[in-house]
Amino acid sequence: MGLSAYGGIKVRNKTMIMRRLAVILAIACIYSEANAIGKNYRPIEIPLGPFDLRPILEVSESYNDNIFFNNNLRKSSMLTQVRSGFQLALKRKLNSYAFNYAFQSQQYHSSPQDNYVDQYIGGQAHVEFTRRNRLDIEASFVDGHYRRGTTFSQGVVGIQSIKEPNAFHNISAHARYRYGGVKAKGNLELAVDFDDLEFTNNPQQTRGWDRTDITITPGFFYRVFPKTHALIQLEQTFVDYKNNNVPGVANSDYTKQRYLLGVSWDYSAKTQGKARFGYLRQVLDASDTQPASGFSWDVALLWKPKPYSQLGFSFNRDVRPTFGFGSGRLIESYRSTWIHDWNSRISTGLTGAYLNVDNRGSGRHDDIIGVGFNANYNLGKWLGVGINYSYLDQDSTSNNLDFYQNVIMFYIAANSAISKSMPTPWQDWY
């Protein structure tokens, strides 16, 4: 199971039950807005010439019993959250375009220095030049933050060393070009992903973590059945930390290759999925660090046994950039979700996730569980109210980083389904 230079995936005495039980959708559930929207939910659309304007408003009040994600510094607080914005959409035959803006404000009643306002600007486009040439593009800018107790401010010292959350700017762009007809035997694909992260405060803590990630993934898809494709992809990632020349900052630059074989299928509205398995190799620029290699996979399955009920599962194993511990994070995750519409107005969602995180070269190993439950009542075709409960637990070899957290939230959401169609920068745990 282990990567050869990662010391393997350790099975610890404390039973590791699927970070345990099946979504980091749980973690989406854990930190933000309502998830389960009934099947009769319809967004508000305001015609503006050829465009459709879809406004967004979500308001919630919640109680968090561990806002710093640390058992040694436990502090609880009521939180008031407002998320608002809009989507401007345009559709022309097979082509579609969207521009999105959203902000999220959260007020901590017991810790006002942790209040924040994050902003997101982005756009997406799907363009079909001909029947054989298709392009999907997405770009965004996020003015965001990492909450105290997450990422680079974990642990008692990390939390106490700063008086406000770490703020950042993030620019990302993703493009995917496909050559070949939808019903052709073979399709060629080229995907390019760009991500640039730069912190804007607390330089004594964050100066070593500004970075740029670039991933290039060529691939070939072969239709073996009408709605089933075999695939082969080579994923090449370059991670460049910007301040490696600063005294006291280690060189964490690396390149990563993943050689993947798999299959994707879409038999019907009931069954869809994609599975990729392969070999992973990570090479760090630091001359005293040995390359790491091992197995990698990502699997996503969706099953709808009934039109009003759906089950989702995902399993992943990959290397991610470090959050200040070691030279990289080998993350193995297992996620599941169940969404059920009991009638035209009432729906529920049950989610869960387990993550096993090995921080290479640091001796730190984390097991994380997230579970969540959501109940939503549709007041109308575009308005919903509900309640959300979530639990998050981290068990680390660094005892100073252990924590458990309960959050209960009451919310009202207008056009929430539109906001969930946008990429969201609000989740900041792994």
Side-chain angles (χ1 to χ4, degrees):
M1 287 277 294
L3 287 179
S4 59
Y6 280 85
I9 295 292
K10 298 181 288 184
V11 178
R12 302 169 57 206
N13 291 335
K14 209 161 187 174
T15 306
M16 297 189 300
I17 314 168
M18 285 190 2
R19 264 165 206 200
R20 290 160 200 160
L21 287 167
V23 93
I24 263 201
L25 259 172
I27 292 177
C29 217
I30 283 161
Y31 295 124
S32 69
E33 65 281 347
N35 274 321
I37 302 297
K39 64 181 179 180
N40 291 334
Y41 183 97
R42 295 293 183 272
I44 303 172
E45 293 187 342
I46 303 171
L48 289 179
F51 299 94
D52 290 320
L53 177 65
R54 300 162 179 169
I56 302 160
L57 179 62
E58 300 173 0
V59 181
S60 69
E61 191 71 20
S62 61
Y63 172 76
N64 185 324
D65 71 355
N66 191 353
I67 63 174
F68 296 139
F69 307 89
N70 191 281
N71 289 342
N72 295 322
L73 290 176
R74 292 191 72 86
K75 186 178 182 66
S76 61
S77 181
M78 296 293 296
L79 296 93
T80 301
Q81 179 176 290
V82 177
R83 185 178 181 187
S84 187
F86 65 88
Q87 180 181 82
L88 193 63
L90 173 67
K91 187 170 180 62
R92 283 287 181 269
K93 296 182 179 179
L94 298 177
N95 301 335
S96 59
Y97 312 88
F99 173 80
N100 310 309
Y101 169 78
F103 76 86
Q104 179 164 297
S105 169
Q106 194 157 59
Q107 307 297 309
Y108 289 73
H109 296 199
S110 300
S111 186
Q113 63 268 37
D114 289 285
N115 294 348
Y116 68 84
V117 178
D118 287 351
Q119 298 190 78
Y120 160 83
I121 299 172
Q124 302 87 40
H126 173 77
V127 181
E128 299 197 12
F129 303 102
T130 68
R131 289 180 296 177
R132 295 182 179 179
N133 294 272
R134 304 181 295 283
L135 178 66
D136 290 283
I137 301 176
E138 177 185 304
S140 67
F141 170 79
V142 175
D143 178 12
H145 82 293
Y146 287 124
R147 309 177 202 203
R148 285 200 294 169
T150 64
T151 57
F152 308 107
S153 61
Q154 295 179 55
V156 173
V157 175
I159 298 167
Q160 292 179 333
S161 64
I162 59 175
K163 301 303 180 183
E164 61 181 357
N166 292 326
F168 64 84
H169 289 160
N170 180 240
I171 299 172
S172 64
H174 313 280
R176 190 176 305 272
Y177 170 73
R178 196 82 172 253
Y179 176 78
V182 174
K183 297 183 179 181
K185 272 289 186 183
N187 273 207
L188 293 172
E189 182 181 88
L190 178 64
V192 179
D193 301 292
F194 171 86
D195 195 80
D196 184 84
L197 175 69
E198 185 168 337
F199 289 88
T200 58
N201 67 345
N202 302 325
Q204 74 284 0
Q205 188 183 72
T206 62
R207 63 180 182 174
W209 311 118
D210 295 348
R211 72 173 194 267
T212 301
D213 304 353
I214 299 174
T215 300
I216 301 172
T217 311
F220 176 70
F221 293 74
Y222 183 78
R223 183 165 59 87
V224 292
F225 298 109
K227 294 187 176 182
T228 303
H229 290 80
L231 64 91
I232 180 171
Q233 292 178 302
L234 169 59
E235 182 182 282
Q236 178 91 359
T237 300
F238 306 90
V239 177
D240 176 33
Y241 286 85
K242 301 178 182 181
N243 296 317
N244 283 335
N245 58 341
V246 176
V249 175
N251 181 4
S252 299
D253 293 353
Y254 69 82
T255 59
K256 181 184 72 174
Q257 298 87 33
R258 289 208 300 162
Y259 306 88
L260 300 166
L261 295 171
V263 61
S264 64
W265 66 94
D266 187 4
Y267 283 127
S268 66
K270 288 187 175 183
T271 307
Q272 302 169 37
K274 183 177 182 179
R276 303 188 302 171
F277 301 88
Y279 176 77
L280 162 69
R281 177 178 169 83
Q282 182 196 25
V283 180
L284 288 99
D285 287 4
S287 58
D288 59 344
T289 306
Q290 293 298 315
S293 59
F295 292 109
S296 181
W297 59 77
D298 49 72
V299 179
L301 309 172
L302 178 64
W303 179 44
K304 296 182 180 179
K306 300 291 183 181
Y308 49 80
S309 190
Q310 68 179 46
L311 293 166
F313 305 92
S314 65
F315 318 102
N316 303 88
R317 190 172 194 255
D318 197 3
V319 170
R320 301 297 183 192
T322 175
F323 276 166
F325 296 87
S327 56
R329 296 171 300 140
L330 174 62
I331 301 178
E332 196 168 323
S333 67
Y334 303 88
R335 314 171 187 177
S336 68
T337 182
W338 174 44
I339 297 175
H340 189 85
D341 296 320
W342 299 95
N343 55 41
S344 62
R345 290 187 178 273
I346 299 173
S347 59
T348 58
L350 180 63
T351 59
Y354 164 66
L355 276 78
N356 181 299
V357 184
D358 191 14
N359 296 269
R360 182 192 179 199
S362 71
R364 175 185 167 185
H365 191 102
D366 305 323
D367 296 321
I368 304 172
I369 294 176
V371 294
F373 172 77
N374 176 275
N376 185 83
Y377 182 81
N378 289 337
L379 296 172
K381 290 185 177 181
W382 51 267
L383 185 66
V385 297
I387 184 172
N388 181 314
Y389 168 75
S390 59
Y391 173 78
L392 184 63
D393 179 288
Q394 174 168 287
D395 183 15
S396 176
T397 52
S398 299
N399 293 331
N400 182 46
L401 302 177
D402 289 350
F403 74 85
Y404 64 90
Q405 180 194 75
N406 294 275
V407 179
I408 186 166
M409 174 189 292
F410 299 90
Y411 60 84
I412 182 167
N415 264 17
S416 182
I418 294 301
S419 69
K420 287 177 207 2
S421 72
M422 300 183 190
T424 55
W426 323 124
Q427 317 313 326
D428 54 7
W429 193 265
Y430 292 93

